[in-house]
Amino acid sequence: MARFPITGLRSVDLTVPDLAAAIDFYTAVWGLDLADRSGERAWLRATGTDSHVVALYAGHAPDIRSMTFRLADDSDPAALCESALAHGATLLHAARAADEPGGGAVLALRDPMGRAMRIVQGDTPVAALPDDPARPERLSHVNFNSDDVDRDVAFFTEALGFGLTDRSKMMGFVRTNADHHTIVISTAPVNTLNHVAFQMPSWEGVMLAAGKMIDRSFPIGWGPGRHGPGDNVFTYFVDPFGFVIEYTAEVLQVDESYRVGSPEDWTWPPGRSDQWGIAPPKTAECKAAQLAIPFA
């Protein structure tokens, strides 16, 4: 396995128009726990050792404020920042103490298209919660839309040291560890959020958690199914604020022997959208929501 300066995706920061309702949904329905709250901010954790996987901010309209990646302890944040700036990023702030659960030092950048990302180093893990098959363990990946997938793949690989794992007709998949993908970049006419995926302990956990969502009158937006690139099981939902969120499990583990796929490797028969062939078409609501959430 090649050494990546960034070791994984830690969390996402989301703006929501009703903070109390968002906390209630993500804890009572989606399966996270409230880690801390301060004024108009709240931090939610999964069952794993990350201090939090979602930060919620009160605001007028939903958006994604940033994606937070974890920098390896022995990686140089100044060198990573210099590389990002050389490839067209802008600096929001240099590394400074993080005012949030987990602490550590965090620097913030915007990529050439204005998407904010934070790089945290030295944050403190928390004790894992008891195993629960129907609750998320951590974040799995973020998928965002792009009007130029190759441009954005190049930024993540050349500026930030990600590795390209697969390229389908519509998407680029890049990684920072053995997970097949950490970021997915989807072809679209807009540069917005597509969805945020939460890692479940198993495929059965995906199904159990999806059943709980249905019990609470949240219909499945797409799935269940098994993706092509990444081989992961999925179900998609639209949360009360318009964010598309995914339960997923069994993402393919890869190393340097994995052959980078091309569009010719990922084709389906007409009408099929996953390996199993059982996933119905996405709902109209899900399709619209996958294009609608801007980056702050």
Side-chain angles (χ1 to χ4, degrees), residues 3 52 78 89 120 133 179 203 272:
R3 181 185 181 279
H52 63 284
V120 66
D179 285 357
W203 69 264
R272 174 178 284 210

Side-chain angles (χ1 to χ4, degrees), residues 154-253:
F155 177 79
F156 275 85
T157 56
E158 297 171 11
L160 301 179
F162 284 57
L164 176 64
T165 313
D166 267 305
R167 183 69 165 91
S168 69
K169 180 180 178 181
M170 300 293 291
M171 291 177 282
F173 299 79
V174 296
R175 74 182 194 278
T176 61
N177 51 47
D179 285 357
H180 177 274
H181 49 275
T182 305
I183 293 291
V184 183
I185 305 165
S186 296
T187 299
V190 289
N191 294 289
T192 55
L193 178 67
N194 188 288
H195 67 269
V196 178
F198 294 77
Q199 182 73 25
M200 303 300 287
S202 67
W203 69 264
E204 185 173 6
V206 171
M207 303 300 281
L208 290 170
K212 290 183 177 181
M213 287 286 286
I214 291 169
D215 287 344
R216 299 294 291 268
S217 299
F218 290 93
I220 293 176
W222 187 33
R226 186 180 284 277
H227 286 308
D231 199 40
N232 43 315
V233 176
F234 66 89
T235 57
Y236 288 55
F237 294 88
V238 182
D239 84 356
F241 316 98
F243 294 94
V244 178
I245 45 180
E246 175 190 0
Y247 288 129
T248 192
E250 297 187 355
V251 65
L252 182 68
Q253 299 297 286

Side-chain angles (χ1 to χ4, degrees), residues 96-116:
R96 67 190 187 194
D99 178 23
E100 61 191 20
V106 64
L107 69 89
L109 304 159
R110 287 195 189 277
D111 76 4
M113 296 308 298
R115 306 177 189 95

Side-chain angles (χ1 to χ4, degrees), residues 3-296:
R3 181 185 181 279
F4 297 103
I6 289 172
T7 62
L9 174 68
R10 202 277 305 274
S11 56
V12 292
D13 290 9
L14 308 177
T15 302
V16 291
D18 187 331
L19 183 60
I23 293 171
D24 182 66
F25 169 78
Y26 278 101
T27 56
V29 183
W30 191 249
L32 304 179
D33 276 359
L34 180 64
D36 199 3
R37 179 172 179 177
S38 177
E40 297 300 287
R41 297 184 294 170
W43 296 270
L44 308 176
R45 65 165 296 182
T47 62
T49 59
D50 291 319
S51 60
H52 63 284
V53 297
V54 175
L56 298 172
Y57 288 72
H60 294 297
D63 62 38
I64 176 167
R65 298 171 63 96
S66 63
M67 307 170 282
T68 301
F69 302 101
R70 182 175 286 115
L71 189 65
D73 290 341
D74 59 350
S75 290
D76 181 359
L80 186 75
C81 183
E82 181 179 352
S83 176
L85 296 180
H87 287 84
T90 55
L91 180 66
L92 295 177
H93 65 74
R96 67 190 187 194
D99 178 23
E100 61 191 20
V106 64
L107 69 89
L109 304 159
R110 287 195 189 277
D111 76 4
M113 296 308 298
R115 306 177 189 95
M117 56 191 70
R118 303 164 72 242
I119 314 294
V120 66
Q121 186 177 49
D123 59 325
T124 303
V126 296
L129 298 176
D131 292 339
D132 187 331
R135 297 183 64 194
E137 297 177 314
R138 59 178 174 89
L139 283 192
S140 172
H141 60 270
V142 170
N143 182 319
F144 62 79
N145 301 308
S146 170
D147 60 5
D148 189 335
V149 171
D150 291 333
R151 175 200 65 210
D152 291 330
V153 165
F155 177 79
F156 275 85
T157 56
E158 297 171 11
L160 301 179
F162 284 57
L164 176 64
T165 313
D166 267 305
R167 183 69 165 91
S168 69
K169 180 180 178 181
M170 300 293 291
M171 291 177 282
F173 299 79
V174 296
R175 74 182 194 278
T176 61
N177 51 47
D179 285 357
H180 177 274
H181 49 275
T182 305
I183 293 291
V184 183
I185 305 165
S186 296
T187 299
V190 289
N191 294 289
T192 55
L193 178 67
N194 188 288
H195 67 269
V196 178
F198 294 77
Q199 182 73 25
M200 303 300 287
S202 67
W203 69 264
E204 185 173 6
V206 171
M207 303 300 281
L208 290 170
K212 290 183 177 181
M213 287 286 286
I214 291 169
D215 287 344
R216 299 294 291 268
S217 299
F218 290 93
I220 293 176
W222 187 33
R226 186 180 284 277
H227 286 308
D231 199 40
N232 43 315
V233 176
F234 66 89
T235 57
Y236 288 55
F237 294 88
V238 182
D239 84 356
F241 316 98
F243 294 94
V244 178
I245 45 180
E246 175 190 0
Y247 288 129
T248 192
E250 297 187 355
V251 65
L252 182 68
Q253 299 297 286
V254 302
D255 60 22
E256 292 308 300
S257 68
Y258 184 83
R259 182 181 66 83
V260 176
S262 66
E264 293 71 27
D265 296 308
W266 304 110
T267 60
W268 305 120
R272 174 178 284 210
S273 61
D274 76 307
Q275 288 194 56
W276 290 337
I278 62 170
K282 290 178 189 175
T283 64
E285 180 190 18
C286 185
K287 286 183 178 180
Q290 284 184 297
L291 298 174
I293 299 294
F295 281 79

